[in-house]
Amino acid sequence: MIRFEHVSVRYTGADRPTLTNVDLHIPEGEFALVTGRTGAGKSTLLGAATGHVPHFTGGQLAGRVLVAGRDTRGHRPRDLADAVGVVRQDPLAGFVADTVEAELAYGMEQLGVPPRTMRTRVEATLDLLGIADLRGRALRSLSGGQAQRVAIGSVLAAGARVLVLDEPTSALDPTSAEEVLAALLRLVHDSGVTVLVAEHRLERVLALADRLIVVDDGGRVRAGTPPAMMRTAPLAPPVVELGRLLGWEPLPLSVRHAPRAATET
């Protein structure tokens, strides 16, 4: 669903590439988590997957990125809007309507979706994300977790099969974060949606991911299963750091998966 082929990105005036020779494949229906130190290039990786890099950011992109079979070099973000949805940290800043139902319909209106199809998709999205009771609510009255689910719903209703999320739970309390992540997992497991998410609160997301993508200093990217990648990832949740120190096998990805003796001490 998302494929990077020998991709390097260098911004104008930069003395080195932000991403270097990235080869990466994220299949359909996979939950992929991106991690790396601040400034390593996580946002550039996400932006390349949506076409925002380099169309909006400038700079040079070598190689190619394919999303749902479309080469981003020849498709600007608006050309990918029916296939790729972007959800940012502050969804309220991106809302354009006044109510939940109107926001879900807005993207489809811009794409020229027939009214009958719009109504069907809105109902399906409300049910799928568990927000039917929010239908008539003013967007400004929503909690952080509710707003994030509406933002996810607005791009899903427009037909997106790929969701790209940048720090979606970093500003949320634990309960709201759990609601958002549960919604994303339902989309992956029940609908085959592909999710690519960068999140610095790894302890919330790590155990849910199918693939962990590590952006190392210097713009090199490597990927694999979370247990394998966590052995050498530059950032890790405390329980993983403890597991490394004590040599636990297998390496736990959450407190729930830590050895029982350790959690009882």
Side-chain angles (χ1 to χ4, degrees), residues 65-187:
V65 182
L66 299 174
V67 183
R70 305 179 198 178
D71 190 331
T72 61
R73 292 175 301 181
H75 294 81
R76 299 176 68 85
R78 64 171 176 268
D79 303 322
L80 299 170
D82 63 332
V84 183
V86 181
V87 179
R88 305 197 184 279
Q89 181 177 345
D90 181 10
L92 287 174
F95 288 153
V96 296
D98 294 323
T99 67
V100 169
E101 190 169 27
E103 184 65 26
L104 294 181
Y106 177 80
M108 291 184 284
E109 291 173 346
Q110 303 308 302
L111 293 172
V113 176
R116 179 175 297 180
T117 302
M118 286 174 54
R119 287 192 293 271
T120 300
R121 288 189 187 178
V122 166
E123 294 300 327
T125 301
L126 288 168
D127 290 340
L128 182 62
L129 294 177
I131 54 176
D133 58 325
L134 304 178
R135 177 194 305 271
R137 285 274 298 275
L139 292 169
R140 297 294 172 181
S141 72
L142 301 179
S143 69
Q146 291 170 337
Q148 280 289 21
R149 283 186 285 162
V150 171
I152 293 168
S154 67
V155 295
L156 280 178
R161 299 295 300 166
V162 176
L163 292 183
V164 178
L165 305 98
D166 195 357
E167 306 285 356
T169 76
S170 62
L172 302 181
D173 61 76
T175 299
S176 296
E178 186 174 337
E179 292 173 351
V180 170
L181 293 172
L184 291 174
L185 276 183
R186 284 198 301 273
L187 295 176

Side-chain angles (χ1 to χ4, degrees), residues 1-22:
M1 185 60 72
I2 305 174
R3 187 180 296 276
F4 286 69
E5 298 179 349
H6 309 298
V7 172
S8 295
V9 175
R10 182 191 293 268
Y11 293 113
T12 303
D15 58 358
R16 64 176 179 83
T18 301
L19 295 178
T20 304
N21 198 31
V22 177

